[in-house]
């Protein structure tokens, strides 16, 4: 079973990486970019019988820092 | 207009970050994980009249290294 875990910074958390990308896009002449946020994408291939609670535990224990990050699980 | 740019390593390109996550999941006792790949997610908020060619240029010039990475644009 293929999963996509999408980890994004919570709103309000500073995102220096996103800011750097924004500045670089401006510097390259791309106008009209209003905001950039960088997140992480983790593609997991897990056994088909893996239940939602286990996937959730993986995210909470390792993949996302829930103090500053949100995560979302998508089935591919 | 909100866009999600998903940047993933091309198949065959070594992914040490993914390997590290895989080992860490094993170490935490999560069995049944077959493969882990780490990618990047860039959320862009651009002007509504930004055309596809411009978005593509942003990806090719800055956001993705097309030698080793694939990218996909999703409209949120």
């Amino acid at each position: 079973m293929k999963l996509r875990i999408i980890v994004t910074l919570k709103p309000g958390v500073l995102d220096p990486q996103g800011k750097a990308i924004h500045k670089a896009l401006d510097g390259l002449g791309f106008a009209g970019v209003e905001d950039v946020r960088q997140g992480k994408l983790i593609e997991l291939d897990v056994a088909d019988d893996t239940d939602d609670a286990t996937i959730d535990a993986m995210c909470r224990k390792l993949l996302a820092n829930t103090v500053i990050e949100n995560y979302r699980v998508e089935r591919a």
Side-chain angles (χ1 to χ4, degrees), chain A:
Chain A
M1 180 169 56
K2 299 222 176 210
L3 300 173
R4 284 208 313 200
I5 317 286
I6 288 174
V7 180
T8 50
L9 285 169
K10 289 188 179 178
V13 177
L14 284 179
D15 179 10
Q17 219 171 347
K19 277 223 169 3
I21 294 169
H22 195 165
K23 274 196 186 162
L25 285 173
D26 284 347
L28 285 170
F30 293 108
V33 179
E34 276 145 42
D35 194 29
V36 184
R37 306 277 288 173
Q38 163 132 25
K40 279 184 291 185
L41 172 86
I42 297 152
E43 291 176 320
L44 292 179
D45 190 358
V46 296
D48 288 342
D49 59 353
T50 309
D51 58 10
D52 286 358
T54 307
I55 294 163
D56 213 56
M58 287 180 191
C59 294
R60 296 192 160 273
K61 284 193 185 165
L62 183 73
L63 304 178
N65 174 358
T66 54
V67 177
I68 57 167
E69 292 171 331
N70 290 325
Y71 65 89
R72 200 165 60 248
V73 178
E74 293 179 359
R75 273 155 186 81

